[in-house]
Amino acid sequence: MSSMFRMVGKQLKTHPSLIPLFIFIGGGATMSMLYLGRLALKNPDVSWDHKNNPEPWNNIEPNQQYKFFTVNTDYSKLKKDRPDF
Amino acid sequence: MAYPLQLGLQDATSPVMEELIQFHDHTLMIALLVSTMVFYTILTSVTTKLTNKNMLDSQGIETIWTIAPALILILIAMPSLRVLYMMDEVNNPHLTVKTIGHQWYWSYEYTDYKNLEFDSYMIPTQDLIPRQFRLFDTDHRMVVPTDSPVRMLITADDVIHSTAVPTLGVKMDAIPGRLNQTTFVVSHPGVFYGQCSEICGANHSFMPITVEAIPLIHFEDWSTSMLAKI
């Protein structure tokens, strides 16, 4: 396993143009895995704790931002205009 | 609306569609520039008399043609994700319209205040009057107020259909047993057409969607008159 890294390290010395490749591919893979992890852990459609929080999709606050990114909606400014469940 | 031999997107009638058109133009320009460069490179490579049998590798150009495409892709991904998240935002709808796909017509329900329900069949070609569009016009139109966020709840009664209105940037599948939601805002009054976008049987091409947008002050006149008629 470590011999593979050593082999790649030797190739990098003679072919430094491979470094940007590692940066972009590595960065892309890292970002994908991080987003998948975020989806697994913070998406209200996913239920992990069957005893204490079996249906997280029923416990979303009206002004809770569950998406990663908002363009026009400021969730902290939303009004809660419906009765409690 | 669509016209024969049309190549581009229809003009936008909603803010979301304007963003989609801008993104499309941005990405298409990048694609055309890259394709032109590649085509030119291939052309010159194929028609040159220069030959070098000892060229093995070059670190400089390899670095450039790794970094440049990555940056270009990032420049495409950022607006793409922004438009994607923007399309998902639900912006306090003023009105909810329920759209149900059947074989082979659409039915619309406006149940916010009273129970307004009606079917929308395509006008058969032999029954068209001179101002109507073949395969697009329907007997009853889905009327919505302008400048008002409208929520559309979409489902189907039998097989999968899909409601699409290209000028509004709307397309959502109508799946039996499932309720899909989409929202749109119509920027200006007019009549906008779309066609069923999921194969659903013999008359799949003959169940269009017609959206008529009228100013908000006239909207209740229409809904009252429709309730009286139905």
Side-chain angles (χ1 to χ4, degrees), chain B residues 13 49-50 57 67 72 133 164 169 190 196 203 214 218 222:
Chain B
T13 313
K49 291 229 173 56
L50 301 167
D57 65 359
I67 296 184
I72 290 174
F133 292 111
C196 177
N203 285 352
I214 59 180
H218 300 306
W222 168 81

Side-chain angles (χ1 to χ4, degrees), chain B residues 27-212:
Chain B
T27 308
L28 185 62
M29 179 56 81
I30 295 177
L32 288 174
L33 289 173
V34 169
S35 310
T36 308
M37 204 186 72
V38 170
F39 182 63
Y40 172 72
T41 309
I42 292 176
L43 207 58
T44 50
S45 316
V46 150
T47 55
T48 184
K49 291 229 173 56
L50 301 167
T51 50
N52 183 345
K53 291 180 277 197
N54 295 324
M55 183 160 20
L56 290 176
D57 65 359
S58 161
Q59 298 310 307
I61 194 173
E62 295 233 358
T63 315
I64 293 175
W65 71 33
T66 305
I67 296 184
L71 288 180
I72 290 174
L73 286 177
I74 291 174
L75 281 183
I76 297 176
M78 279 169 37
S80 171
L81 290 171
R82 179 180 158 271
V83 174
L84 188 65
Y85 276 90
M86 181 191 297
M87 281 164 56
D88 252 359
E89 288 180 340
V90 180
N91 41 4
N92 240 348
H94 295 178
L95 176 70
T96 300
V97 181
K98 298 179 207 163
T99 306
I100 298 141
H102 310 259
Q103 281 177 315
W104 288 279
Y105 61 97
W106 293 95
S107 64
Y108 302 107
E109 298 177 7
Y110 294 69
T111 52
D112 280 331
Y113 304 110
K114 304 248 172 77
N115 228 356
L116 173 58
E117 303 175 9
F118 56 91
D119 298 335
S120 173
Y121 280 83
M122 183 188 86
I123 302 198
T125 305
Q126 60 259 34
D127 296 342
L128 289 169
I129 64 179
R131 61 174 159 80
Q132 290 176 320
F133 292 111
R134 187 179 72 94
L135 305 184
F136 277 118
D137 262 310
T138 54
D139 52 3
H140 298 119
R141 297 171 172 166
M142 177 176 123
V143 176
V144 291
T146 55
D147 272 325
S148 314
V150 173
R151 170 198 279 126
M152 217 159 78
L153 295 174
I154 304 148
T155 186
D157 211 12
D158 33 45
V159 297
I160 303 183
H161 303 266
S162 180
T163 155
V165 185
T167 183
L168 298 174
V170 166
K171 180 178 287 179
M172 188 55 78
D173 276 2
I175 297 172
R178 179 187 173 88
L179 202 55
N180 278 332
Q181 173 184 276
T182 187
T183 57
F184 60 88
V185 182
V186 187
S187 313
H188 54 262
V191 184
F192 313 108
Y193 299 97
Q195 295 176 296
C196 177
S197 301
E198 186 64 46
I199 184 83
C200 54
N203 285 352
H204 156 68
S205 315
F206 308 112
M207 49 180 291
I209 299 108
T210 311
V211 175
E212 180 177 339

